[in-house]
Amino acid sequence: MESRFKSVGRNPHQLYYLNLQRRSEKMERGMMEEQNQMVSKRKLRVCVATCNRADYSKLAPIMFGIKAHPESFELEVMVLGSHLIDDYGNTFRMIEQDDFDVSSKLHTIVRGEDEAAMVESVGLALVKLPDVLQRLRPDILVVHGDRFDALALATAAALMNIRILHLEGGEVSGTIDDSIRHAISKLSHYHACCTRSAEQHLIAMCEDHSRILLAGCPSYDKLLSPTKNNHLDTIHTWLGDMVQENQYIVALQHPVTTDIQGSIKIYGLMLDALISFNKKTLILFPNIDAGSKGMVRVMRMKGIEQHPNFRAMKHIPFEQFIQLVAHAGCMIGNSSCGVREAGAYGTPVINLGSRQTGRETGENVLHVRDADTHNKIYHALELQFGKRYPCSKIYGDGNAVPRILKFLRSIKLDEPLQKSFCFPPVKEAFSQDIDHILETQCALAVDLGGTNLRVAIVSMRGKIMRKYCKPNPKTYESRIQLILSMSQDAIQDAVRLNCRILGVGVSTGGRVNPQEGVILHSTKLIQEWSSVDLRTPLSDALHLPVWLDNDGNCAALAEKKFGHGQGVENFVTIITGTGIGGGIVHHHELVHGSTFCAGELGHIMVSLDGPECMCGSRGCVEAYASGMALQREAKRLHDEDLLIMEGMELKKVEAVSAVHLISAAQQGNAKAQAVLKTASTALGVAVVNILHMTNPSLVILSGVLASYYQSPVQDIISQRALASSQGIKVVTSDLEEPALLGAASMVLDYTTRRSC
């Protein structure tokens, strides 16, 4: 024994303590691993801090979501700020009415409603918050937006090493709110933003893109969910029994703290314009920011609270307020509700002054940035009151809360607390973490054909994520109902596919007014489909913007975005299918014409006295070269026993089609070859006419007959076109679904332009 101890250079006592130390270290490692496992398995303690009525409308859906999953989360609710002030309605009561247990109430507002009072309020909050945060010990603190109260919360939590999730960071509005919002983002560890632009701003601010969730606005989850409440009851409760929807105004104006005197002046001008406009008006008191006292003084000097046309309120529950906004004839002021939530309903909005200058807005918002005269605001009211706009979902699609809850579950409490910043800014606007961030922007494409109705989810790169097809009903009511049903199914599937639907694009036969979203005249193949406003019912039901155009124009748009037309300034697309159609792209823009007849290429006349066309005229190229024309000639030859060649089979139940005509021609049938030569020549002559009128640099043939016609049409051009046009190439489309892709491109191109 002794010799062995000597050989290793240690005595028995040293060896004993060495083994004891090793066992102790092993036990410590085991305990640490067990603690880490317990941390990963235990519930996440989430503290949601709400400061005012506005942020509660965004936070409440998340709070309900957290409360509904007690197996994953522990919810702590902290109430502070103007929630606890009598003059602002003691709005903490609505939190208690929603059956939330309030863990802590902090009186943090120093009255005065001026700049110094705001600073003192931040200081008071910073004095009180440490004790509360030490008692609650949250794993993560959820703060919202750009209020000075939220800045105090984020500052305290960051200094106390508490993780922060910031909602609605990265947005731009144009006032001191921007500075506060971005400061909170820099203090926060995680971000749940509402728009792609906001995500890009956060990335440009060097935030870690793996910690950014593009979720949408949580309030949209409530806005876009069906409600059982009768909106007329709500209107009558707040405005009186005689007031009907679309016949009143909602006014909400807050001070701009960097221009208090200007804010008070604009507020007075707005009140004067509303008095002159003489419509029933629901007006809410401004928030507690510096300058609000002066605005309330102006309101009372003008007798607004006693005026018969006005109802002045300090607070209205969010669910009822948003119903009032949804059915208002107009909303006026500078509240973010006007540029965000109101767009979900298409409510017309007048945005006054600079407070929301940088916000992304839908078509429903009319900006009066220099609201320096009564007449200017009055004129805006005349322009906007009573209008309805397409519903906009810029800020959300109704699925924000599930994404945020999934994001919260993914947070690992054992990962380093210290933030890391990404320098230089990330070039890609898309997050690389597909489990957390919705990165596939898509369009819902609808194709109304003579036989089938098809709907598809199409990505920004032209990939069809999922496609649905059903027979096209014969009546208007059944067709609209089927479009909505298939679209709603697709929207639900889009969430599971990690796709964000930006809007709806519709391709249909006939003549279309794309500006108004109206089908003017349909083809004979689609019944009860003329003088139809398609945009309004789809937009109202789906809460999405809607674009539509005819199938020929959509085929051209598909080529422009995804096919041979990419980067080509001037080209023509011709569809060779059941009928003949197409679209003309000139200087990179689709040509519609003064009465939306441009691009009706199937009705170019190639003969003074040819076969009758479905349009009622004679000699149209469609009457020679379309699938229906070839089928007509095939049936004529078959009836005369001049079609079927040896080796060809035609079953008794099988209808004669253009396919049999082409097959017979390929097997040497002279009669069939003559018919096809006439059809090819007619189409070639039509194309030559197009070349001489619009002078494109490329002709793209699309449809089932494109590959057959490509070579003959190229020959006709070389024989009959002017010398300067003979070199123009004719190519066949590589796109399998031009109508669906073209419908999608209307949505995707608009979205791209808006975000640039």
Side-chain angles (χ1 to χ4, degrees):
M1 290 288 288
E2 289 182 1
S3 62
R4 187 176 61 171
F5 289 134
K6 289 179 181 178
S7 65
V8 296
R10 291 189 178 97
N11 61 37
H13 295 289
Q14 289 176 322
L15 187 60
Y16 169 79
Y17 285 112
L18 181 61
N19 290 334
L20 188 64
Q21 183 180 357
R22 287 173 177 170
R23 285 198 300 270
S24 177
E25 290 174 352
K26 185 176 181 181
M27 288 177 64
E28 286 179 5
R29 285 197 300 269
M31 289 175 65
M32 289 179 63
E33 290 175 2
E34 186 177 345
Q35 286 176 352
N36 289 338
Q37 289 175 358
M38 289 176 64
V39 168
S40 63
K41 290 179 180 178
R42 72 173 175 82
K43 298 177 184 179
L44 188 73
R45 181 173 292 177
V46 180
C47 178
V48 178
T50 173
C51 308
N52 54 65
R53 67 192 181 195
D55 76 13
Y56 182 65
S57 68
K58 317 294 177 62
L59 293 167
I62 301 173
M63 293 161 64
F64 280 114
I66 292 172
K67 188 175 179 180
H69 293 85
E71 75 286 354
S72 301
F73 304 105
E74 288 182 19
L75 176 63
E76 303 285 353
V77 179
M78 187 193 307
V79 175
L80 63 159
S82 60
H83 273 308
L84 303 169
I85 297 179
D86 290 340
D87 289 352
Y88 292 87
N90 277 327
T91 50
F92 74 91
R93 293 195 182 98
M94 66 182 178
I95 303 172
E96 295 176 339
Q97 289 168 1
D98 284 340
D99 201 27
F100 289 113
D101 294 327
V102 177
S103 307
S104 182
K105 296 176 185 174
L106 286 179
H107 291 270
T108 58
I109 296 299
V110 176
R111 301 304 302 273
E113 285 78 27
D114 58 14
E115 297 97 326
M118 290 169 61
V119 177
E120 291 169 357
S121 296
V122 172
L124 181 58
L126 287 171
V127 169
K128 292 186 174 185
L129 279 167
D131 288 340
V132 175
L133 292 173
Q134 280 183 337
R135 175 169 56 83
L136 297 180
R137 294 189 178 279
D139 296 317
I140 189 160
L141 176 71
V142 179
V143 297
H144 169 270
D146 49 30
R147 306 292 301 144
F148 58 83
D149 322 70
L151 179 60
L153 282 162
T155 303
L159 291 172
M160 296 180 70
N161 291 326
I162 296 171
R163 289 173 169 82
I164 303 166
L165 171 63
H166 184 208
L167 303 181
E168 298 188 7
E171 296 183 16
V172 177
S173 56
T175 66
I176 189 64
D177 294 350
D178 282 345
S179 300
I180 296 175
R181 186 186 308 111
H182 300 332
I184 296 171
S185 292
K186 301 312 294 180
L187 291 166
S188 299
H189 304 80
Y190 306 97
H191 311 273
C193 57
C194 297
T195 69
R196 180 66 68 183
S197 293
E199 181 193 36
Q200 291 173 338
H201 293 156
L202 287 170
I203 292 172
M205 289 162 61
C206 306
E207 292 299 309
D208 185 347
H209 58 276
S210 69
R211 294 189 173 194
I212 302 171
L213 170 68
L214 179 54
C217 183
S219 65
Y220 269 59
D221 290 27
K222 186 176 286 277
L223 303 187
L224 301 180
S225 62
T227 177
K228 296 180 181 178
N229 297 333
N230 188 325
H231 65 273
L232 286 176
D233 290 344
T234 303
I235 294 171
H236 295 158
T237 297
W238 294 98
L239 286 154
D241 294 338
M242 302 302 294
V243 180
Q244 300 300 314
E245 61 181 279
N246 297 327
Q247 294 302 311
Y248 61 91
I249 297 169
V250 174
L252 180 52
Q253 180 89 357
H254 299 303
V256 176
T257 56
T258 51
D259 184 15
I260 293 174
Q261 293 307 312
S263 298
I264 295 172
K265 178 184 177 183
I266 291 174
Y267 192 64
L269 292 172
M270 178 189 77
L271 295 178
D272 290 339
L274 288 169
I275 293 169
S276 301
F277 200 65
N278 198 30
K279 297 291 182 184
K280 207 73 175 180
T281 300
L282 178 71
I283 185 166
L284 273 78
F285 278 63
N287 65 22
I288 202 168
D289 283 353
S292 59
K293 186 184 291 185
M295 294 170 71
V296 173
R297 189 180 299 115
V298 170
M299 179 197 293
R300 288 176 174 156
M301 287 174 58
K302 295 182 183 292
I304 295 299
E305 291 170 289
Q306 291 77 39
H307 196 288
N309 272 352
F310 287 82
R311 291 289 178 92
M313 298 294 166
K314 292 180 179 178
H315 168 66
I316 299 174
F318 178 72
E319 293 80 1
Q320 297 178 46
F321 176 67
I322 207 63
Q323 280 193 325
L324 293 166
V325 170
H327 298 282
C330 179
M331 183 175 183
I332 187 169
N334 63 5
S335 168
S336 62
C337 178
V339 298
R340 297 169 70 97
E341 284 84 357
Y345 301 105
T347 301
V349 172
I350 300 168
N351 181 57
L352 301 178
S354 62
R355 190 169 184 263
Q356 306 294 343
T357 297
R359 296 272 192 195
E360 297 172 77
T361 64
E363 300 174 40
N364 63 311
V365 179
L366 175 63
H367 293 279
V368 186
R369 294 184 175 90
D370 296 320
D372 51 358
T373 66
H374 158 279
N375 289 339
K376 194 179 290 186
I377 300 173
Y378 186 90
H379 184 57
L381 285 165
E382 288 182 316
L383 290 173
Q384 287 287 76
F385 185 79
K387 279 188 176 183
R388 300 315 292 178
Y389 289 89
C391 299
S392 166
K393 292 173 71 176
I394 297 171
Y395 287 95
D397 61 1
N399 295 290
V401 172
R403 296 181 189 122
I404 291 171
L405 295 184
K406 180 181 177 183
F407 190 60
L408 284 171
R409 288 191 186 98
S410 71
I411 292 174
K412 297 178 180 178
L413 299 180
D414 57 348
E415 67 182 6
L417 183 66
Q418 176 60 48
K419 286 184 64 171
S420 59
F421 298 99
C422 300
F423 300 101
V426 178
K427 295 180 181 178
E428 289 287 334
F430 300 95
S431 170
Q432 297 177 2
D433 188 349
I434 61 174
D435 285 332
H436 297 163
I437 299 175
L438 197 65
E439 65 175 0
T440 308
Q441 290 185 311
C442 293
L444 200 63
V446 179
D447 176 33
L448 285 147
T451 304
N452 292 319
L453 171 58
R454 301 184 304 152
V455 173
I457 302 170
V458 182
S459 75
M460 191 70 79
R461 296 185 179 182
K463 180 181 179 182
I464 295 179
M465 312 294 288
R466 185 156 296 181
K467 186 166 61 175
Y468 315 78
C469 182
K470 290 188 178 180
N472 194 347
K474 301 299 182 184
T475 64
Y476 166 80
E477 290 81 4
S478 300
R479 189 173 298 123
I480 289 290
Q481 189 174 0
L482 183 58
I483 293 172
L484 291 175
S485 173
M486 293 174 71
S487 297
Q488 286 162 350
D489 289 344
I491 290 170
Q492 290 178 359
D493 287 345
V495 176
R496 290 188 286 272
L497 291 169
N498 220 28
C499 297
R500 178 181 293 277
I501 301 297
L502 301 172
V504 182
V506 182
S507 166
T508 182
R511 191 160 63 91
V512 173
N513 179 343
Q515 298 171 3
E516 300 294 332
V518 174
I519 300 164
L520 301 174
H521 301 292
S522 179
T523 65
K524 292 183 179 180
L525 296 174
I526 309 178
Q527 301 169 10
E528 297 186 19
W529 208 236
S530 295
S531 301
V532 171
D533 176 5
L534 190 57
R535 173 179 290 160
T536 300
L538 295 190
S539 181
D540 287 350
L542 301 175
H543 301 292
L544 287 167
V546 176
W547 291 265
L548 65 151
D549 213 324
N550 73 27
D551 49 7
N553 286 338
C554 283
L557 290 173
E559 294 295 339
K560 178 175 180 286
K561 187 166 184 67
F562 303 113
H564 293 301
Q566 292 181 80
V568 180
E569 184 176 5
N570 304 294
F571 70 90
V572 174
T573 297
I574 301 172
I575 303 176
T576 57
T578 305
I580 299 289
I584 301 168
V585 173
H586 188 64
H587 295 318
H588 297 294
E589 294 292 334
L590 190 65
V591 178
H592 284 101
S594 60
T595 58
F596 311 104
C597 277
E600 292 290 347
L601 307 181
H603 302 292
I604 294 174
M605 291 191 180
V606 293
S607 171
L608 295 177
D609 188 24
E612 185 177 357
C613 179
M614 288 189 70
C615 70
S617 186
R618 290 184 174 274
C620 298
V621 65
E622 186 172 290
Y624 284 99
S626 67
M628 292 183 67
L630 297 183
Q631 183 182 34
R632 180 194 67 224
E633 292 300 304
K635 289 178 68 175
R636 179 180 62 79
L637 292 177
H638 183 258
D639 292 343
E640 297 172 5
D641 290 330
L642 298 174
L643 179 66
I644 304 301
M645 299 289 291
E646 185 177 349
M648 287 180 61
E649 289 188 16
L650 183 63
K651 298 177 182 178
K652 292 183 179 180
V653 295
E654 188 178 1
V656 178
S657 67
V659 174
H660 299 108
L661 184 74
I662 294 172
S663 178
Q666 289 172 341
Q667 294 190 36
N669 186 320
K671 297 287 186 181
Q673 289 173 344
V675 170
L676 290 174
K677 183 176 180 181
T678 301
S680 301
T681 302
L683 183 61
V685 169
V687 171
V688 169
N689 290 335
I690 295 169
L691 300 186
H692 292 167
M693 284 188 290
T694 65
N695 194 31
S697 59
L698 182 67
V699 176
I700 304 170
L701 297 183
S702 180
V704 293
L705 299 172
S707 59
Y708 178 81
Y709 281 136
Q710 188 264 337
S711 181
V713 168
Q714 189 76 74
D715 291 341
I716 295 294
I717 291 174
S718 62
Q719 296 165 14
R720 300 199 179 193
L722 293 173
S724 58
S725 299
Q726 288 179 3
I728 293 173
K729 278 199 166 190
V730 179
V731 298
T732 58
S733 175
D734 294 332
L735 303 179
E736 294 184 5
E737 297 287 358
L740 289 172
L741 292 176
S745 75
M746 291 187 285
V747 179
L748 302 175
D749 278 348
Y750 177 82
T751 305
T752 303
R753 287 199 300 272
R754 182 169 58 196
S755 63
C756 288

